[in-house]
Each structure stands twice: as C-alpha cells, then as structure tokens.
Amino acid sequence: EQGVVEAQAAIEDARIAVEDARIAVEDALMAVDDAQEDVDDAREALDEALSYSTEIIAPFDGFVTLVNVDGGEEVKKGTVAVTIADPTMFEADILVSELDIVQVELGGEATVQIDALSGLSLPASVTHISPTANIQSGVVNYQVKVEVTPLETAMQQRQEAMQETTQRIQEGDIPEPLQQAIDEGRITREQVEEMMRQFQQAGAGQQRQVTGMIPEDFQLREGMTVTVSVLIAQRIDVLLVPNGAIISRGGQSYVQVLKDGAIEERVITTGISSWQYTEVTGGLVEGEQVVVPSATTSTIQQRQGGMLVPGMGRVR
C-alpha cells in the first residue's frame, strides 16, 4: 500500500514536470514570435530610412545662415541641422519705453528708415510686443518687433491705394475726413479732386525718385541699423506747430505769435504730438506765424499729422 502511494506521487510529479515543460516551450515560441516582430519592425524602419533622400529641401527660397552639424555626424530627430533665411522678409527689433508701450498695438503701422539709404522709408507692421520688461540701469523698456514690407511691395501698394482713392473721389465716394472738411466749408470738392490729382502725380514722381535713389545691387541685409517709428495716433487736416515753439507754464501751453511786427503770447489748446510737431486744436489759425526759440519764425501749416513712437533697431 505504501508503494502504491509513492508511485502515484511520482506520477503526479512527472505530470507537473511535463506541464511546466510545455509552458516553457510555449513561452519560448512566443519569445521567438516577438523577436521576429522586432526584426520585421527594424527592417521596415531601415527600408523607410533608406527611402529618404539625403538631400534637404527648404520650404522656401533663401540662403543658409548657419550649419549646426558636420558631415558623418549622427543627427537625432528634432535636431536643427541648418538655419536658412528668406532674403525678402526682414524684421527689426526696437525698445519702447514704459510710457509709450501702452499705446503700441499688434498690427499697428510703422515705418523703417534705413540709415544706409537716407530718405528711404519702408512701411512695416508691429508683429510682437514682449510681455516682459527689459530693465537696464533702472530704465524700463519693452522689446517690440516689426516686420518690414519689401520695397517693391510697398511701392505697388501705395500706387494702388492712390489710384483707388482717386477713383472713389471721381465717382463721388469721398473719404469721411475730406467730406467733413467740405461740409464745414474749409475746402471745396473741386479742391479735393485737384489735391488728389496732385498727390497721384507726386506719388508717381516720388516712386521714380526713390527707385532712382536705390542702387541696382542694393539688398536689405541682416544687421543693418534702422530707425523705426510706430504710428499710435493720426489726425487728418489739422494745424501743426514745431514742438520748440510751444511754452508750457502752469498747466497751460503758449506760443509767441508774430503779429504786425510785434510778438504776443497766446494760449493754445494742443492735441497729439510727435517728436517734431504738435497738433493745435485751438488758439491759432492757418497762416499765422509763431516764434521758435532759435529766433526764426514758422508759418502755421494745415496738414496731416501723426503721433509716432521712435526707436532704434537692427534688421534681422
């Protein structure tokens, strides 16, 4: 009886051993299948990599400004191997003071004066305003980025806008500021039409003049020094006086007016200002002469004025 029990135990142990061996075989077969899948995946990845061209094509026409890798070097995914620049698109970075930054808006108009070409200004627009301050020696400024409009595009846009405005006036659709001036009797419709014709002729002449100023081989280049002006307010058909002619005293603004050979001080009401001129909304009329501290006189002019935030920057 004891021998029967031992035999049964031996049989059970053998059965368990067989089951363990079967499971081990199945695990080994599964491992082989997994290994085969890894091989297949590796082969597919290799085939895909070999199918790629070794030539790198930029998404736009331009020129190479920086190469970050050497030939034969391993390049991982996400690595910036080459930096390129578009020669038709340029940006300028300027610093705007904390007093003026609240008036600068994204998309706002700006002009870029190229120091290398005196008298040439290109239109631009504000594309970025830094949310953080740049503080140096206690002075708080904010970085503003403007995108420069290519010269050819700017000239074409200006010519098209002038032609469109002239056509609208000829068809009876006069811009609101000019229509208001006509309604108030400050100008006639015929004068407006004549003025627009002169503007169109002057614009065409200026375009030819500016084009002639630019050397044939001139190209706007990274690092050039420019003066940037950001337009934050604008008035049409207003009186302007030089800033140097205005005297501030006791919260009032005064100018010295030359009248009948004598000088009289007069209180004026002012509007927006640039670093050159200030709008006069009351106290003066067109044609009067004011005295500037340099002992010269300036005739009051009726013209378009704009308030500008100036800044120095470099093209990039």
Side-chain angles (χ1 to χ4, degrees):
E1 189 173 314
Q2 180 66 31
V4 173
V5 172
E6 292 176 353
Q8 291 177 342
I11 293 172
E12 183 62 22
D13 292 340
R15 188 188 65 78
I16 294 174
V18 171
E19 182 65 21
D20 291 341
R22 186 185 63 79
I23 294 174
V25 171
E26 292 179 352
D27 292 340
L29 292 175
M30 292 179 61
V32 170
D33 292 339
D34 292 340
Q36 185 61 49
E37 290 181 0
D38 292 340
V39 171
D40 294 339
D41 292 341
R43 183 176 290 109
E44 290 180 2
L46 177 60
D47 293 340
E48 183 178 1
L50 293 175
S51 68
Y52 292 152
S53 172
T54 56
E55 181 181 9
I56 301 176
I57 301 177
F60 55 85
D61 294 338
F63 54 88
V64 175
T65 60
L66 184 65
V67 178
N68 299 315
V69 296
D70 297 325
E73 184 178 348
E74 180 181 359
V75 179
K76 297 182 179 180
K77 185 176 181 180
T79 300
V80 178
V82 178
T83 302
I84 62 173
D86 186 345
T88 64
M89 299 298 296
F90 287 90
E91 297 175 333
D93 293 324
I94 62 173
L95 293 177
V96 177
S97 72
E98 59 180 322
L99 298 178
D100 295 324
I101 193 63
V102 295
Q103 302 176 82
V104 179
E105 298 180 352
L106 285 176
E109 296 180 21
T111 59
V112 175
Q113 171 69 51
I114 304 170
D115 289 8
L117 288 177
S118 178
L120 176 62
S121 293
L122 296 178
S125 59
V126 177
T127 57
H128 177 74
I129 302 174
S130 175
T132 58
N134 184 328
I135 304 176
Q136 294 182 349
S137 302
V139 179
V140 180
N141 290 302
Y142 291 83
Q143 189 177 56
V144 173
K145 181 182 298 181
V146 299
E147 183 175 302
V148 184
T149 302
L151 178 61
E152 295 78 6
T153 303
M155 289 298 184
Q156 182 179 357
Q157 291 176 348
R158 178 173 180 175
Q159 187 69 16
E160 291 176 352
M162 185 65 67
Q163 292 176 352
E164 181 181 356
T165 302
T166 303
Q167 183 178 357
R168 287 175 55 189
I169 292 178
Q170 292 174 348
E171 295 175 353
D173 185 10
I174 299 178
E176 184 176 349
L178 292 177
Q179 184 62 55
Q180 183 178 357
I182 294 175
D183 296 340
E184 294 175 356
R186 292 185 281 117
I187 193 172
T188 65
R189 181 184 180 87
E190 289 74 17
Q191 289 175 321
V192 170
E193 294 177 352
E194 178 61 25
M195 179 178 63
M196 292 308 303
R197 281 194 294 269
Q198 293 177 359
F199 280 174
Q200 188 175 18
Q201 293 174 358
Q206 183 178 13
Q207 181 175 356
R208 289 192 296 269
Q209 180 181 2
V210 170
T211 303
M213 291 169 50
I214 304 174
E216 293 183 1
D217 58 347
F218 173 78
Q219 181 179 358
L220 191 60
R221 299 180 183 277
E222 180 180 4
M224 282 186 167
T225 303
V226 295
T227 300
V228 180
S229 299
V230 180
L231 181 65
I232 59 176
Q234 184 173 255
R235 298 287 188 273
I236 303 297
D237 193 28
V238 298
L239 299 179
L240 300 180
V241 296
N243 291 340
I246 299 176
I247 304 169
S248 298
R249 186 172 61 246
Q252 293 281 349
S253 296
Y254 301 84
V255 291
Q256 293 180 329
V257 181
L258 183 63
K259 187 174 183 180
D260 299 328
I263 296 178
E264 66 176 40
E265 192 171 78
R266 189 180 302 175
V267 178
I268 61 172
T269 305
T270 60
I272 64 175
S273 299
S274 68
W275 66 90
Q276 291 179 304
Y277 296 99
T278 294
E279 174 193 8
V280 178
T281 58
L284 290 175
V285 295
E286 182 180 3
E288 291 186 301
Q289 291 184 316
V290 297
V291 178
V292 182
S294 61
T296 61
T297 60
S298 177
T299 302
I300 301 303
Q301 299 179 356
Q302 191 169 18
R303 52 175 291 183
Q304 173 176 329
M307 183 175 178
L308 303 172
V309 173
M312 292 294 294
R314 290 190 181 275
V315 173
R316 70 179 188 85

